[in-house]
Amino acid sequence: MILVTNDDGIQADGLRILVEALEELDEVYVVAPDRERSAIGMAITLHRPLRARRVGERAFAVDGTPVDCVDLGVGGLLPEKPKLLVSGINRGQNLGHDILFSGTVAAAIKGTFRGIPSIAVSLVLGERERYIVEEVHFETAAEAALAVGRAVLENGLPEGVLLNVNVPNLPVREIKGFRITRQDRGPYDTKVVKRVDPRGNVYYWIGGERMEVDCAQDTDIYAVRNGYISITPIRPDLTDYSAMGELEGWTLRLGRER
Ligand code: MN
């Protein structure tokens, strides 16, 4: 059995198309947020109860986060432990630093923590094409999810590793192939826009562009920009092992020196 979730909400087109594609592999269960919960990372709901509403024979809408959905699914809603988790298809990229706040990737990380081979799938969209239905190629991302899902079921994944898949927004025939990539290192140049609302109160809006300081040929960003489907193996362990030795050489004392 395959578990599908997302962070765009249970009504999202990307989720429906993903389920249709994966049904070729196995029975698919859906446990997804009842509304959009994007950019929420690994947030969990601890201070109120969670409700799961059955919305189909094998589909549940949860009033929580993507990670809540994985926990509720594996912890009670599903009849057995899934052999594969696929999160997506996200309406928009999860490249480089995006994975640190992505709800789509967070659900796949949670699946990995629970011992389920997990994949996050995102469709890379520009600001303009995001709102034009005919220009959004979910079908390409669904084919990619099917291919990668099948390969994961056949080969398994290294322990503690998940796959972050990003698909260029192109018709299938224009895709050049798959590339195994690394995460781009460019941070966002975050801008805070200050405006005044109709009642005269100040409000702020966070935005900004990604800083193009990396974009090397082995990155996820380079791959999708050049027409390839990017597959990045991700390990949630953020420890910098190379820095540990250097820190070991520090002298650390509690309190003021006497
Ligand atoms: Mn999203």
Side-chain angles (χ1 to χ4, degrees):
M1 178 243 289
I2 299 170
L3 171 59
V4 165
T5 189
N6 73 352
D7 76 355
D8 292 341
I10 195 141
Q11 304 291 346
D13 290 336
L15 179 121
R16 180 176 47 77
I17 294 165
L18 176 62
V19 169
E20 284 169 14
L22 293 177
E23 275 172 343
E24 195 170 308
L25 292 179
D26 202 354
E27 193 165 62
V28 177
Y29 275 75
V30 175
V31 185
D34 63 357
R35 70 202 75 177
E36 175 162 3
R37 304 302 297 271
S38 291
I40 203 162
M42 295 211 62
I44 49 174
T45 305
L46 290 180
H47 302 292
R48 64 173 173 83
L50 287 165
R51 313 265 175 196
R53 187 164 45 92
R54 192 165 209 140
V55 294
E57 197 188 331
R58 293 185 295 277
F60 299 88
V62 174
D63 60 348
T65 67
V67 168
D68 290 333
C69 290
V70 177
D71 281 330
L72 259 65
V74 180
L77 294 173
L78 305 179
E80 61 188 78
K81 184 173 167 180
K83 59 185 184 186
L84 177 70
L85 181 154
V86 185
S87 179
I89 300 166
N90 192 58
R91 196 181 188 84
Q93 62 187 29
N94 278 306
L95 297 163
H97 278 205
D98 297 339
I99 67 168
L100 293 172
F101 52 83
S102 164
T104 307
V105 175
I109 292 174
K110 187 70 202 194
T112 305
F113 286 163
R114 282 187 164 272
I116 303 161
S118 299
I119 309 166
V121 183
S122 306
L123 183 63
V124 181
L125 295 172
E127 284 300 325
R128 191 185 61 88
E129 53 199 9
R130 192 174 292 256
Y131 300 102
I132 305 172
V133 174
E134 310 80 63
E135 293 185 15
V136 177
H137 292 284
F138 277 126
E139 78 283 1
T140 305
E143 277 205 32
L146 178 59
V148 177
R150 183 180 280 133
V152 168
L153 288 175
E154 281 171 10
N155 302 295
L157 282 174
E159 195 173 331
V161 171
L162 58 128
L163 300 183
N164 183 33
V165 179
N166 280 274
V167 182
N169 188 38
L170 297 169
V172 173
R173 63 177 184 281
E174 289 177 32
I175 294 287
K176 290 189 191 146
F178 291 87
R179 280 259 173 98
I180 308 302
T181 60
R182 69 170 172 86
Q183 192 187 342
D184 186 271
R185 297 197 186 103
Y188 278 93
D189 182 19
T190 304
K191 298 262 193 300
V192 178
V193 177
K194 185 179 175 181
R195 292 199 181 127
V196 179
D197 76 15
R199 293 183 184 82
N201 303 306
V202 171
Y203 69 92
Y204 300 89
W205 205 309
I206 296 171
E209 298 290 309
R210 194 192 299 276
M211 291 170 76
E212 308 235 337
V213 293
D214 186 354
C215 303
Q217 293 197 12
D218 57 350
T219 62
D220 47 7
I221 290 184
Y222 187 93
V224 296
R225 279 192 185 158
N226 289 280
Y228 292 90
I229 295 163
S230 164
I231 304 176
T232 311
I234 302 283
R235 197 174 273 286
D237 179 356
L238 299 179
T239 312
D240 184 343
Y241 291 91
S242 63
M244 286 174 71
E246 193 181 324
L247 295 180
E248 294 288 356
W250 289 14
T251 303
L252 296 167
R253 290 186 206 91
L254 283 179
R256 296 202 185 137
E257 209 148 344
R258 280 176 278 263

